[in-house]
Amino acid sequence: MAVAKKITINDVALAAGVSVSTVSLVLSGKGRISPATGQRVNEAVEQLGFVRNRQASALRGGQSGVIGLIVRDLTSPFYAELTAGLTEALEAQGRMVFLLHGGREPDQLLSRLDMLLNQGVDGVIVAGASGVGSELCERAAEKGVPLVFASRASYLDEADTLRPDNMQAAQMLTEHLIRRGHQRIAWLGGKSSSLTRAERVGGYCATLIKYGLPFHSEWVVECESSQKKAAEAIGALLRSSPTISAVICYNDVIAMGAWFGLIRVGRQSGEGGVETFFGHQVALGAFADVGENALDDLPIVWATTPAREMGYTLADRIMQRIDNTDVQAGHQIVAARLVTVK
């Protein structure tokens, strides 16, 4: 059986009628090449089916076209959505994403970064890196590789970071409920060890204080992300404090469980206001990481920071850093949007 000949850069140069160095410049995106020449080279590449050796290109000092992505927790809906948006945006620009699962141990993140740096990637994105941000930055800087972080909370002061504004989201959600007439607002969900939860609870408490409303520590209830646990927790909360008229839920899973819990105890979720509370309604507010079209069709007020859209922004940021090494690292904070589902 005949073996197909491997197409080389020399074949592309011959077909396009240019030098090998010109083909190399077109493929790397460097140098001043006329549009007509660039078009001839690209047409020859397509016609011949030339496959660029990205690793060899990187060793010669050009761009590999590969972006490294380390995700600390691939099971997290937030990071899964962010990865989908990031990959979609980078692939649309002709880039390939090299995805690695970072794990929860600092040594695992560091070894994953070393692996990517040794592969000659153009840039690296780390999604979730609490506690080892400075070490990761130092290693990337030694190799001259741009490094950008995506996080759910503000734990990285020294790095180029994109994150949601958790406090702003909680303030906006709490204020909305207050303006709807609710004065006894509780919190449900999340663990005290979570920095994301701490920022959200901080925004919730600050807004209650701003409006001179009561804050009770027993109204801030921890709960794992389980519909069953949330349903049980909101039932216990309302039995102990029946005058509560609104509950802010840590995430969409807690919100769904709380909604079922309200039905179980004979309360109807809604935004009817305090005058209808004693007979029927308790308003629910919650945080979500998806866009408006993907929200559950329940009578809940959402503060949403779509993680997929953050992925698009993250792709733009890493490309800015790759294309312009003088771009300074900085924090980009993404504000939440309020969505009311009726």
Side-chain angles (χ1 to χ4, degrees):
M1 182 174 65
V3 178
K5 177 190 174 187
K6 181 179 179 180
I7 304 300
T8 68
I9 194 171
N10 293 306
D11 297 322
V12 175
L14 183 62
V18 298
S19 67
V20 170
S21 61
T22 298
V23 175
S24 180
L25 288 172
V26 172
L27 294 176
S28 66
K30 297 181 178 180
R32 295 184 177 181
I33 303 296
S34 70
T37 300
Q39 182 177 351
R40 289 208 312 276
V41 171
N42 287 322
E43 287 176 351
V45 167
E46 186 175 348
Q47 290 170 1
L48 296 174
F50 175 72
V51 178
R52 181 184 177 194
N53 187 324
R54 295 182 182 275
Q55 189 174 32
S57 175
L59 292 172
R60 292 193 299 270
Q63 291 186 5
S64 68
V66 179
I67 309 298
L69 172 61
I70 305 173
V71 182
R72 188 163 191 172
D73 183 8
L74 284 168
T75 65
S76 164
F78 174 83
Y79 288 122
E81 279 287 303
L82 183 139
T83 298
L86 173 67
T87 302
E88 180 183 335
L90 288 175
E91 289 181 348
Q93 299 183 55
R95 302 284 171 157
M96 184 171 68
V97 177
F98 193 148
L99 172 63
L100 294 175
H101 183 242
R104 294 188 174 277
E105 297 300 324
D107 288 345
Q108 291 178 305
L109 282 172
L110 292 168
S111 67
R112 301 300 190 274
L113 177 63
D114 287 339
M115 184 185 301
L116 290 173
L117 295 177
N118 291 333
Q119 290 295 317
V121 296
D122 297 332
V124 177
I125 297 165
V126 179
S130 179
V132 291
S134 59
E135 294 179 69
L136 295 171
C137 288
E138 289 174 6
R139 295 198 185 187
E142 289 174 1
K143 295 284 189 177
V145 175
L147 177 63
V148 177
F149 292 87
S151 67
R152 298 201 69 181
S154 55
Y155 54 76
L156 293 168
D157 294 329
E158 72 283 3
D160 199 346
T161 309
L162 177 72
R163 67 172 178 85
D165 194 335
N166 292 309
M167 182 167 283
Q168 174 263 344
Q171 290 172 335
M172 180 175 61
L173 195 55
T174 308
E175 188 168 47
H176 173 82
L177 291 170
I178 292 171
R179 289 179 174 174
R180 295 288 293 177
H182 299 281
Q183 296 186 2
R184 301 177 71 81
I185 305 171
W187 176 282
L188 178 62
K191 294 292 185 179
S192 58
S193 58
S194 166
L195 184 53
T196 300
R197 178 184 185 271
E199 291 180 349
R200 290 175 177 175
V201 170
Y204 153 76
C205 293
T207 308
L208 292 179
I209 293 170
K210 174 184 174 182
Y211 283 87
L213 296 178
F215 166 75
H216 302 281
S217 58
E218 63 271 22
W219 288 5
V220 180
V221 180
E222 288 190 48
C223 180
E224 62 184 77
S225 290
S226 158
Q227 290 186 18
K228 182 176 183 293
K229 295 293 186 182
E232 294 171 352
I234 198 169
L237 177 63
L238 292 175
R239 283 192 295 272
S240 63
S241 302
T243 58
I244 289 172
S245 68
V247 178
I248 295 178
C249 302
Y250 176 67
N251 59 23
D252 56 340
V253 175
I254 296 292
M256 180 71 77
W259 183 73
F260 284 121
L262 290 177
I263 295 174
R264 182 182 299 172
V265 298
R267 300 291 178 86
Q268 183 182 13
S269 172
E271 273 203 288
V274 292
E275 70 277 2
T276 61
F277 160 70
F278 291 104
H280 301 286
Q281 293 187 335
V282 173
L284 291 179
F287 302 88
D289 300 322
V290 297
E292 182 174 348
N293 293 335
L295 292 172
D296 292 317
D297 188 18
L298 298 174
I300 296 173
V301 181
W302 301 93
T304 177
T305 311
R308 187 176 292 258
E309 293 181 18
M310 288 183 62
Y312 301 152
T313 303
L314 196 59
D316 290 339
R317 183 60 183 171
I318 192 64
M319 292 307 302
Q320 289 173 6
R321 292 288 306 280
I322 291 170
D323 294 337
N324 185 359
T325 56
D326 294 330
V327 172
Q328 296 298 310
H331 292 281
Q332 189 167 355
I333 303 173
V334 181
R337 303 193 293 264
L338 195 69
V339 178
T340 302
V341 178
K342 298 181 180 179

